[in-house]
Amino acid sequence: MISDPHEAEFQALIDSDQRIEPRDWMPDGYRRSLIRQIAQHAHSEIIGMQPEGNWITRAPSLRRKAILMAKVQDEAGHGLYLYCAAETLGVDRAELIDLLHQGRQKYSSIFNYPTLTWADVGAIGWLVDGAAITNQIPLCRCSFGPYARAMVRVCKEESFHQRQGFESLYALSHGTPEQHEMAQDAVNRWWWPSVEMLGPPDTESTHSAQSMAWGIKRFSNDELRQRFVDMVAPQAVVLGLTPPDPELRWNEDRGHYDFGEPDFEELRRVVSGDGPCNRQRAAHHLAAHDEGAWVRAAAAAYAAKHPATSAAA
Amino acid sequence: MSEETPAPLWEVFIRSKRGLSHNHVGSLHAPDAEMALRNARDVYTRRMEGVSIWVVPSAVITASSPDEKDSFFDPAADKPYRHPTFYSIPKEVQQL
């Protein structure tokens, strides 16, 4: 039973599918849970710039280069929308970035894998952004208003990300035999991490039940995973590429694709810091932050010298 | 903790096209108003979402409190005669 009148009103808003706004009363757990999830999501967007940024200078054409730059700029924008949503809960972005640097807040496991060839950029767009979109579309109806509004923006922009990846992989797959082989190799390496990035199985997911009750999460990890596989399996056929899962096949009775058991032990390992690139990603972010310190200091000094243009100083 | 003082927070409002009002789209950090405008352009209008941007220091916004929302908005709650549907009009009158 809920005895606190504040809590009763809060739960009534959630149960009638209304949105909670920053200045509304909310349980501490709801606030903490959202800060954790939104910060983790923001960090993922920012860290996610690294694997693809790796290929900007080596994109095979000016067209691909312009597309990749626009995509990486979008990831920066998405990170900022999300930090802004987190800040409405009473934390400061600088605190969240400190927590990331101290390893006390995480980001998506998927960005700890390396981008070894140009085809990886296409595979990331098709598979990683495909999985991200599957996860993010229900978040547009999340019970916390600022998070939901940020996700609407992100999803609108994200749809080009997946399409450009598909187009790029399609071009490689239908190119020379070497290009086809490179595309297949990228799919071999990115398939399982993408299936895994939707989170641990429902039986082991620590935050899911409460998040569902609070309207933060609308579908379970396993439901989202099924939705993702159902979306990309037929696309793989059009691409002419074979997912590295011998158990992947259409199940007429279920009306869904069957697929093999993801390696959740690997997911756990990568999330807890032992993926191929965890240390490199963290070190790069910290270095970029430190190397930018003089720019922030100069901008602050300029603002202090010209108080007329900086009312907030 | 980092030693730096974080740049102030600004609320961003965008007019999506002529004839519409500015709408709140989010916030961002910037050391001064000019940087806030430039950052807002890069963060919130990468796809021509706006023709005009306002930035306002978050600290100067005064907001009504959700706790007193009932009493605060009460005066309008019992005045249905402010709406056209309050009035019954004979059927013969087609448009009024």
Side-chain angles (χ1 to χ4, degrees):
Chain A
M1 271 317 284
I2 296 171
S3 50
D4 186 333
H6 278 306
E7 190 156 2
E9 195 182 330
F10 168 83
Q11 197 60 50
L13 281 174
I14 300 232
D15 294 343
S16 62
D17 206 19
Q18 301 228 39
R19 297 292 175 267
I20 304 300
E21 294 295 340
R23 283 170 48 103
D24 291 335
W25 184 91
M26 61 186 83
D28 282 345
Y30 180 80
R31 187 183 298 275
R32 273 199 310 273
S33 190
L34 275 170
I35 291 173
R36 181 188 57 79
Q37 181 174 337
I38 301 174
Q40 180 170 326
H41 199 158
H43 298 329
S44 300
E45 297 282 357
I46 299 298
I47 298 287
M49 295 163 73
Q50 293 185 37
E52 291 176 285
N54 180 32
W55 281 94
I56 289 178
T57 57
R58 293 173 288 166
S61 70
L62 197 52
R63 178 176 184 271
R64 297 282 179 208
K65 185 172 187 160
I67 291 169
L68 187 54
M69 279 174 61
K71 181 172 190 288
V72 174
Q73 283 174 330
D74 273 355
E75 314 295 4
H78 297 173
L80 292 175
Y81 303 158
L82 287 159
Y83 284 126
C84 147
E87 286 189 306
T88 66
L89 290 160
V91 286
D92 195 89
R93 187 178 72 189
E95 289 171 51
L96 302 178
I97 291 173
D98 278 339
L99 290 170
L100 172 68
H101 288 162
Q102 294 159 14
R104 290 164 60 199
Q105 278 181 345
K106 299 190 186 314
Y107 55 88
S108 175
S109 57
I110 196 77
F111 303 116
N112 291 314
Y113 292 88
T115 41
L116 303 179
T117 71
W118 166 252
D120 288 23
V121 173
I124 289 178
W126 177 47
L127 292 173
V128 175
D129 290 313
I133 291 170
T134 308
N135 184 39
Q136 287 169 347
I137 285 176
L139 286 173
C140 296
R141 295 191 298 120
C142 158
S143 63
F144 186 58
Y147 192 22
R149 293 192 285 275
M151 291 322 300
V152 169
R153 242 166 211 293
V154 169
C155 286
K156 235 187 241 172
E157 300 182 355
E158 200 87 28
S159 63
F160 115 71
H161 295 187
Q162 204 196 5
R163 287 178 74 123
Q164 65 82 33
F166 184 92
E167 187 204 68
S168 173
L169 265 191
Y170 188 93
L172 289 172
S173 177
H174 295 80
T176 64
E178 291 81 3
Q179 288 173 324
H180 179 87
E181 195 184 328
M182 186 165 77
Q184 181 62 55
D185 170 64
V187 168
N188 290 348
R189 286 180 289 106
W190 288 93
W191 178 266
W192 284 112
S194 302
V195 173
E196 287 156 18
M197 76 178 264
L198 289 154
D202 294 352
T203 47
E204 290 170 33
S205 181
T206 38
H207 303 291
S208 279
Q210 184 60 71
S211 284
M212 301 272 266
W214 277 333
I216 298 173
K217 226 175 138 67
R218 300 270 174 178
F219 299 98
S220 76
N221 294 349
D222 287 336
E223 285 173 308
L224 293 171
R225 198 174 347 264
Q226 180 71 62
R227 197 174 286 191
F228 169 65
V229 172
D230 287 348
M231 171 178 75
V232 290
Q235 294 171 352
V237 178
V238 181
L239 281 172
L241 299 169
T242 312
D245 179 358
E247 293 172 55
L248 181 70
R249 68 177 60 85
W250 177 250
N251 182 326
E252 193 69 51
D253 297 334
R254 292 202 309 127
H256 290 290
Y257 281 85
D258 289 339
F259 55 98
E261 172 78 2
D263 183 353
F264 290 117
E265 191 42 52
E266 174 181 341
L267 175 67
R268 204 175 356 256
R269 223 169 32 239
V270 177
V271 167
S272 62
D274 246 347
C277 300
N278 295 53
R279 286 166 199 81
Q280 180 187 338
R281 300 292 185 238
H284 184 85
H285 190 276
L286 189 59
H289 188 74
D290 290 347
E291 283 162 19
W294 72 270
V295 178
R296 295 189 293 277
Y302 182 86
K305 257 193 208 169
H306 300 82
T309 61
S310 54
Chain B
M1 280 304 284
S2 54
E3 301 298 315
E4 295 171 38
T5 317
L9 194 63
W10 302 75
E11 299 300 322
V12 181
F13 299 78
I14 291 180
R15 182 201 298 290
S16 56
K17 60 178 186 182
R18 288 177 172 281
L20 297 179
S21 54
H22 287 76
N23 276 331
H24 183 246
V25 292
S27 63
L28 49 74
H29 288 276
D32 60 32
E34 189 164 338
M35 288 285 283
L37 266 184
R38 285 169 184 276
N39 291 354
R41 178 201 57 193
D42 292 344
V43 176
Y44 291 104
T45 63
R46 286 192 304 283
R47 288 171 175 77
M48 321 230 327
E49 289 93 338
V51 293
S52 164
I53 301 176
W54 290 347
V55 289
V56 180
S58 306
V60 304
I61 291 181
T62 307
S64 64
S65 160
D67 287 340
E68 54 184 35
K69 99 172 154 343
D70 292 339
S71 59
F72 192 72
F73 294 106
D74 240 5
D78 58 354
K79 299 179 180 61
Y81 46 84
R82 284 177 172 168
H83 296 277
T85 48
F86 181 74
Y87 303 91
S88 46
I89 302 294
K91 274 201 196 62
E92 308 87 277
V93 183
Q94 299 278 323
Q95 283 188 335
L96 186 77

